[in-house]
Amino acid sequence: MSTAEIRRRFVAHFEAAGHTAVPSASLLLEDPNLLFVNAGMVPFKPFFLGQETPPYDRATSVQKCIRTPDIEDVGKTTRHGTFFEMCGNFSFGDYFKERAIELAWELCTKPAADGGWGFEEGRLYPSVYAEDDEAVALWKKVTGLPDERILRLGRKENYWSMGVPGPGGPCSEILYDRGPEYGPDFDPSRLGPDMPTDLEDRLLEFWNLVFMQDELSAVRAKDDFDIAGSLPSKNIDTGMGLERVAFLTQGRENMYEIDVMFPVIEKAQELSGKRYGANPDDDVRFRVVADHVRSSMMLISDGVTPGNEARGYVLRRLLRRAVRSMRLLGCEDRVLPELLPVSRDKMGETYEELHRDWERISTVAFAEEDTFRQTLRTGTQIFDNAAGEVKQTGGTQLSGDKAFALHDTYGFPIDLTLEMAAEQGLSVDEDGFRRLMAEQRDRAKADAKAKKGGHRDAAAYREIADGLQRAVDFTGYDTVVDEGTVRGIVRDGGVVPAAESGDEVELVLDRTPFYAEGGGQLADHGIIELANGARVEVSDVQSPITGMIVHRAKVLEGEVTTGLLAQAHVDTARRLSISRSHTATHMVHKAFREALGETATQAGSENSPGRFRFDFSATGAVPESVMADVEARVNEVVLDDLAVEAEVMSQKEAVASGAMALFGEKYGDEVRVVSVGDWARELCGGTHAHNTGRLGVIKLLGESSIGSGVRRVEALVGSDAYQFLAREHVLVAQLADTLKTRPEDLPERVNDLVERLRTAEKEIEKVRLDKLLASGGELATGAEDIAGIKLVAHRVDGATGGDVRTLALDVRGRLPAGTPGVVVVIGAAEGKVAVVAALNDAARDRGLSANDLVQTVGPYVGGKGGGKADVAQGGGSDTSRIDEALAAVSAAVTEAR
């Protein structure tokens, strides 16, 4: 049974049972505890946490997921994959344990000819939380299984929580017995509280049914918490691994061999000449390639770009592990252009956007591979230097911190470091490396833990929302002044009945014209006047939960109480200025896509008064000519005075109309589409100018890189752009007057001045060097004779490192041929010391070394240095003992004679 058919049957089964089919959310959701969506229930968390009211009692979905803690285990087991699809069915206060068990068991055991998966009942083992006698009884009732077929396991295995205070509950898993070839025989009645590790491959868990019934408090660990009581509404949350069911129904050994993944392995075999199944180490590499190519593609599709932090770092690591694994399989050439299209063709059967956005996806991936290939070259040089230092000191082991620096700073994989060290007869302090890696992970975990509890304060908003019984009415698209009623006041994280003058509060009205920050647009500011004469100054507006608009404000005078009528006044000048910026951002986005192609997709923005920044995907710097073209294009549209209009429609209608949706944004079933004439269309909830003519002028200030594959353009609009251009005009006029030329001739005039300055600097430098070298002959002639060795030990004040080297080599060349000659020159300039020692062949034959002489000087000048026997150099920061250093050189030559 194909993966697509398994997915289709799952959704159809639950739709027939009254569930609403919910499309997969993006892998990127705003959640303080998660980098990526890592489970099917994540998009439904606000419902389970009581932050939002679900629009349906039952739902089913097939959710894209990414889990990153198991990256190192990918390919080594049948169970660990980075990207996977989780099928789930959810009940929000509707059915509970019995119906959840019935629905799952029916789909698993129903014959394939009747729309089920056709699993043999004798191979299925339900597991339950050891203390959940109710679940045991229900499994027996629904399935007819005896007690000995039902596994009782402990909290670690069969109790679910989010790791923070909130809902939790016991769970039941459905396990499939793959047979004795995958593990030892077992007695189900003797298993527990933990699943033995030697049975994990044999008893494969593929579906987890969570019975969300408890309110958890004091959560100390996954299996260490207190149960405060029962939830007022009991919910069902299940998660079924699509890939696991696929390899079970397709008779494969593991998830990497299923129909949507194995074609990548087949292509990797073709490229490498290696055969899957011939070598265990190579098999792991093949599986890493299959997983990481697919995972990377899905992340890029949802808007992630490679970088050195957070989501970008995960993507970079996945792409580089895939390329590295192919290198270990013998492929030195670029591989992603061959592998990625194979994964696209299989996954694109379900996710059409992979074909639609292929140009952007492939551009990002291929550019990262090219960057990594350069990293490998650079890292190899750095490794060679580190290995050389170890050998120079007589060592045999590369330190853990060196290996960690190669990995963490340069992206150099540890397995490559181990391989190259072995080639040079060195070992690597792996324990030290692992310790530093563990410390880094601990810091990351501590940081993540510190961020946990992002849902903690939602209770106050939820309490107010329950009182409202409907979403706050936002009226700001049509007006900047409106009347409403105070429905809630939050102070210090809790709901209060009143607030006095001077209090910092969060105010909720039942209707408001104030725009809450979102979609890159900054929040409105303004004043709220209450019916009793009180006044509140609004400095920020947020939407902490769906349907709630919260005004963060300070009470300027009077007392604010719930139930008061209020008149909200938005700062009109600020709103109009921000709206112009937002419209300009849409226009610049469209213009860049026209100029650079469809890959120039928005990756972020900020619309503030009179100014905006726009981030977009690009593989390199944007040429000045393109910047000029984009600026000209958007200002043409400004002059065209196109109407800017918004209309609400379904997501499907919006996509069909050509409207763009932005990555990482969360859209409902009904979306708002903003159009700039017939030229640009985007899904957008922000406020805009009524027509492009109101923007006045748009001025692009420049562009820069903010990460691998992402560029940032900053710009001005309206009066801010005019004022900038006015200042530029004054500056140009002043320069033209100073240089006695016309403004249009300024570039040529300035270039001429710069060239003349450069020529003068070169002439001055030549005179200076000639003067410096003029003393070379005199120094050589006056060389001190120490037992037949000619020694020049000289100090030059005001000389830089380059000057010192030039003089030392020049003097060495003037010493008599065949006579041992030693030249040590020490320069002092701007508080820094430069040292160069230069010896001829005859001096080296007498046992002298330039490297040794520089080492002799180091302690005197507060520095160090080194080099070869003929020429060495160094530096320091203590100019007070240069004469002592020169005397020490003379003494060293005397002792060596």
Side-chain angles (χ1 to χ4, degrees):
M1 191 180 298
S2 71
T3 302
E5 179 61 15
I6 296 167
R7 182 193 293 108
R8 188 197 67 76
R9 291 186 180 209
F10 182 90
V11 175
H13 175 73
F14 284 100
E15 278 191 305
H19 293 67
T20 298
V22 180
S24 174
S26 167
L27 288 165
L28 318 178
L29 287 182
E30 290 303 320
D31 188 298
N33 303 317
L34 299 173
L35 273 181
F36 306 107
V37 171
N38 65 352
M41 61 79 63
V42 170
F44 303 103
K45 277 174 70 173
F47 304 153
F48 290 127
L49 290 166
Q51 297 173 347
E52 300 178 21
T53 301
Y56 29 65
D57 294 329
R58 304 179 178 191
T60 185
S61 70
V62 181
Q63 174 62 45
K64 299 180 291 185
C65 301
I66 288 279
R67 286 186 183 171
T68 57
D70 299 329
I71 286 179
E72 298 292 344
D73 293 319
V74 168
K76 298 176 183 177
T77 74
T78 61
R79 304 178 306 281
H80 293 98
T82 312
F83 173 87
F84 61 96
E85 295 177 83
M86 185 172 283
C87 304
N89 59 286
F90 309 92
S91 166
F92 308 105
D94 188 21
Y95 63 83
F96 199 46
K97 292 182 183 179
E98 183 170 3
R99 186 58 176 151
I101 293 171
E102 288 173 347
L103 289 168
W105 191 255
E106 179 185 354
L107 181 58
C108 289
T109 59
K110 186 164 56 176
D114 297 332
W117 293 333
F119 284 138
E120 182 184 337
E121 288 190 20
R123 286 182 175 267
L124 299 179
Y125 286 82
S127 71
V128 300
Y129 178 44
E131 299 175 17
D132 192 359
D133 294 330
E134 179 189 14
V136 174
L138 289 171
W139 275 108
K140 291 166 64 177
K141 174 184 175 182
V142 171
T143 67
L145 295 175
D147 282 318
E148 58 268 21
R149 284 284 302 281
I150 301 172
L151 285 57
R152 288 179 178 260
L153 301 176
R155 271 191 177 186
K156 183 178 180 181
E157 298 283 350
N158 275 64
Y159 196 98
W160 179 89
S161 79
M162 286 190 293
V164 294
C171 56
S172 282
E173 295 178 340
I174 305 178
L175 303 98
Y176 184 90
D177 182 4
R178 303 176 73 197
E181 60 268 38
Y182 294 98
D185 290 335
F186 60 96
D187 180 352
S189 65
R190 294 182 178 275
L191 293 181
D194 299 327
M195 176 66 70
T197 55
D198 58 358
L199 281 177
E200 287 181 343
D201 278 337
R202 176 167 180 169
L203 287 178
L204 185 74
E205 176 260 315
F206 66 90
W207 203 339
N208 187 11
L209 283 60
V210 177
F211 309 134
M212 210 175 291
Q213 64 187 42
D214 299 327
E215 179 75 30
L216 306 186
S217 62
V219 178
R220 294 169 290 275
K222 184 179 184 297
D223 55 350
D224 183 14
F225 48 79
D226 297 333
I227 298 178
S230 298
L231 291 172
S233 177
K234 297 179 179 180
N235 306 312
I236 288 294
D237 157 30
T238 85
M240 188 279 291
L242 180 61
E243 289 81 1
R244 294 191 183 188
V245 173
F247 79 74
L248 290 175
T249 59
Q250 293 172 20
R252 302 297 182 181
E253 288 292 307
N254 53 61
M255 63 177 288
Y256 312 101
E257 298 175 12
I258 64 176
D259 58 331
V260 294
M261 294 185 72
F262 195 68
V264 176
I265 292 179
E266 291 178 315
K267 174 58 74 170
Q269 289 182 106
E270 177 187 324
L271 295 174
S272 67
K274 302 283 184 69
R275 185 171 62 84
Y276 182 70
N279 179 288
D281 290 337
D282 284 347
D283 286 353
V284 171
R285 292 161 187 153
F286 278 120
R287 293 194 286 261
V288 166
V289 170
D291 175 89
H292 287 7
V293 165
R294 183 171 78 142
S295 301
S296 300
M297 178 180 67
M298 300 306 291
L299 283 172
I300 298 171
S301 176
D302 274 2
V304 182
T305 54
N308 292 325
E309 295 180 352
R311 292 165 174 163
Y313 179 74
V314 172
L315 173 59
R316 170 161 287 167
R317 188 179 179 198
L318 292 173
L319 284 168
R320 293 186 173 194
R321 277 173 59 87
V323 173
R324 167 64 181 150
S325 294
M326 288 299 294
R327 186 180 187 277
L328 292 173
L329 288 168
C331 294
E332 299 286 346
D333 296 331
R334 298 173 80 217
V335 295
L336 291 183
E338 299 287 340
L339 297 172
L340 211 63
V342 177
S343 188
R344 172 205 61 196
D345 291 344
K346 298 307 296 182
M347 296 301 295
E349 295 172 5
T350 300
Y351 299 102
E352 297 177 356
E353 61 269 24
L354 295 175
H355 292 285
R356 186 175 64 246
D357 297 339
W358 178 244
E359 184 180 358
R360 177 185 60 82
I361 294 168
S362 59
T363 298
V364 171
F366 299 164
E368 180 61 20
E369 178 174 14
D370 291 340
T371 299
F372 183 47
R373 287 166 61 81
Q374 178 60 42
T375 293
L376 288 175
R377 287 190 287 269
T378 304
T380 299
Q381 295 173 353
I382 295 168
F383 171 84
D384 288 341
N385 291 337
E389 291 177 6
V390 172
K391 289 182 175 181
Q392 191 174 30
T393 60
T396 60
Q397 186 180 69
L398 190 71
S399 67
D401 59 341
K402 288 284 188 184
F404 180 75
L406 280 165
H407 169 84
D408 193 54
T409 305
Y410 303 104
F412 213 58
I414 183 60
D415 53 356
L416 183 57
T417 300
L418 292 169
E419 177 186 303
M420 294 175 62
E423 290 172 355
Q424 297 205 27
L426 298 174
S427 63
V428 178
D429 178 13
E430 288 190 70
D431 290 340
F433 172 81
R434 305 291 176 196
R435 175 179 52 77
L436 290 169
M437 285 293 292
E439 290 175 359
Q440 184 187 63
R441 280 194 296 270
D442 289 343
R443 287 193 296 271
K445 288 179 180 177
D447 181 58
K449 187 174 182 180
K451 293 177 182 177
K452 288 226 176 187
H455 307 288
R456 181 183 55 210
D457 297 331
Y461 307 126
R462 182 69 258 165
E463 181 181 337
I464 296 173
D466 289 342
L468 284 170
Q469 297 182 341
R470 65 181 179 85
V472 173
D473 186 11
F474 173 64
T475 61
Y477 292 133
D478 304 312
T479 183
V480 290
V481 179
D482 203 355
E483 291 187 348
T485 303
V486 178
R487 293 302 188 189
I489 305 169
V490 177
R491 187 180 63 207
D492 298 329
V495 178
V496 296
E500 299 176 347
S501 179
D503 285 348
E504 300 280 351
V505 297
E506 294 176 278
L507 207 62
V508 178
L509 308 181
D510 59 355
R511 57 189 283 120
T512 179
F514 279 84
Y515 181 83
E517 181 178 350
Q521 179 172 330
L522 296 187
D524 283 332
H525 292 178
I527 296 292
I528 296 176
E529 297 177 339
L530 287 307
N532 65 351
R535 297 178 73 248
V536 173
E537 183 178 30
V538 178
S539 58
D540 190 16
V541 187
Q542 297 292 326
S543 180
I545 62 176
T546 301
M548 172 76 73
I549 297 176
V550 175
H551 308 79
R552 295 179 176 170
K554 182 175 182 179
V555 181
L556 298 179
E557 56 183 283
E559 182 184 36
V560 180
T561 59
T562 55
L564 278 176
L565 291 176
Q567 190 170 65
H569 300 261
V570 174
D571 181 335
T572 305
R574 175 184 170 86
R575 160 70 76 81
L576 291 175
S577 187
I578 291 176
S579 297
R580 287 192 290 267
S581 293
H582 203 155
T583 302
T585 299
H586 283 222
M587 294 165 60
V588 168
H589 187 189
K590 176 65 175 179
F592 268 113
R593 288 170 68 84
E594 285 184 345
L596 299 175
E598 297 302 303
T599 60
T601 304
Q602 182 171 330
S605 67
E606 181 179 278
N607 305 299
S608 52
R611 174 183 290 267
F612 65 94
R613 67 169 187 245
F614 171 70
D615 304 336
F616 62 100
S617 301
T619 57
V622 180
E624 288 186 12
S625 60
V626 171
M627 293 287 288
D629 290 344
V630 167
E631 185 174 277
R633 179 72 175 110
V634 294
N635 281 294
E636 285 176 8
V637 176
V638 168
L639 290 176
D640 290 340
D641 197 23
L642 300 181
V644 180
E645 299 175 327
E647 53 186 322
V648 177
M649 60 184 75
S650 70
Q651 277 205 50
K652 184 176 293 186
E653 290 171 335
V655 172
S657 74
M660 283 197 61
L662 303 183
F663 301 115
E665 293 290 333
K666 184 178 180 181
Y667 299 107
D669 293 332
E670 294 290 313
V671 296
R672 185 169 181 264
V673 177
V674 174
S675 303
V676 179
D678 293 327
W679 182 55
R681 293 172 68 83
E682 282 190 25
L683 275 64
C684 179
T687 64
H688 288 270
H690 292 301
N691 48 59
T692 60
R694 297 194 179 190
L695 273 60
V697 65
I698 300 172
K699 175 61 185 174
L700 304 187
L701 299 179
E703 67 92 35
S704 60
S705 171
I706 61 168
S708 177
V710 181
R711 310 295 296 186
R712 170 169 291 173
V713 168
E714 299 201 48
L716 301 173
V717 62
S719 61
D720 291 78
Y722 168 77
Q723 291 169 12
F724 173 84
L725 292 172
R727 289 193 299 271
E728 292 279 292
H729 175 74
V730 170
L731 179 61
V732 168
Q734 289 174 340
L735 285 172
D737 183 60
T738 300
L739 297 177
K740 307 301 181 186
T741 188
R742 296 180 302 175
E744 58 267 29
D745 294 333
L746 268 178
E748 182 179 350
R749 177 73 170 131
V750 170
N751 284 335
D752 178 60
L753 285 174
V754 170
E755 285 301 316
R756 289 167 60 185
L757 179 61
R758 286 173 179 167
T759 300
E761 288 175 342
K762 289 178 182 178
E763 291 175 353
I764 292 170
E765 179 65 11
K766 184 177 182 302
V767 170
R768 193 182 67 80
L769 284 176
D770 288 345
K771 182 178 179 181
L772 178 69
L773 295 177
S775 63
E778 183 179 343
L779 290 173
T781 302
E784 181 182 359
D785 191 311
I786 301 177
I789 300 172
K790 294 294 186 179
L791 170 65
V792 175
H794 183 62
R795 170 178 182 159
V796 184
D797 290 323
T800 63
D803 297 337
V804 170
R805 185 179 180 88
T806 299
L807 181 59
L809 295 177
D810 179 68
V811 173
R812 183 183 67 175
R814 294 173 184 268
L815 293 174
T819 300
V822 175
V823 180
V824 176
V825 179
I826 303 179
E830 298 180 355
K832 295 182 179 179
V833 178
V835 183
V836 173
L839 280 65
N840 60 20
D841 292 341
R844 296 199 301 278
D845 291 342
R846 291 282 292 269
L848 292 166
S849 166
N851 181 67
D852 292 343
L853 293 175
V854 169
Q855 299 288 346
T856 298
V857 170
Y860 290 94
V861 298
K864 57 184 179 180
K868 298 181 180 179
D870 59 338
V871 179
Q873 62 188 44
S877 56
D878 186 356
T879 61
S880 65
R881 302 182 66 191
I882 290 178
D883 293 339
E884 292 180 59
L886 293 172
V889 168
S890 180
V893 172
T894 301
E895 292 175 5
R897 72 180 187 276

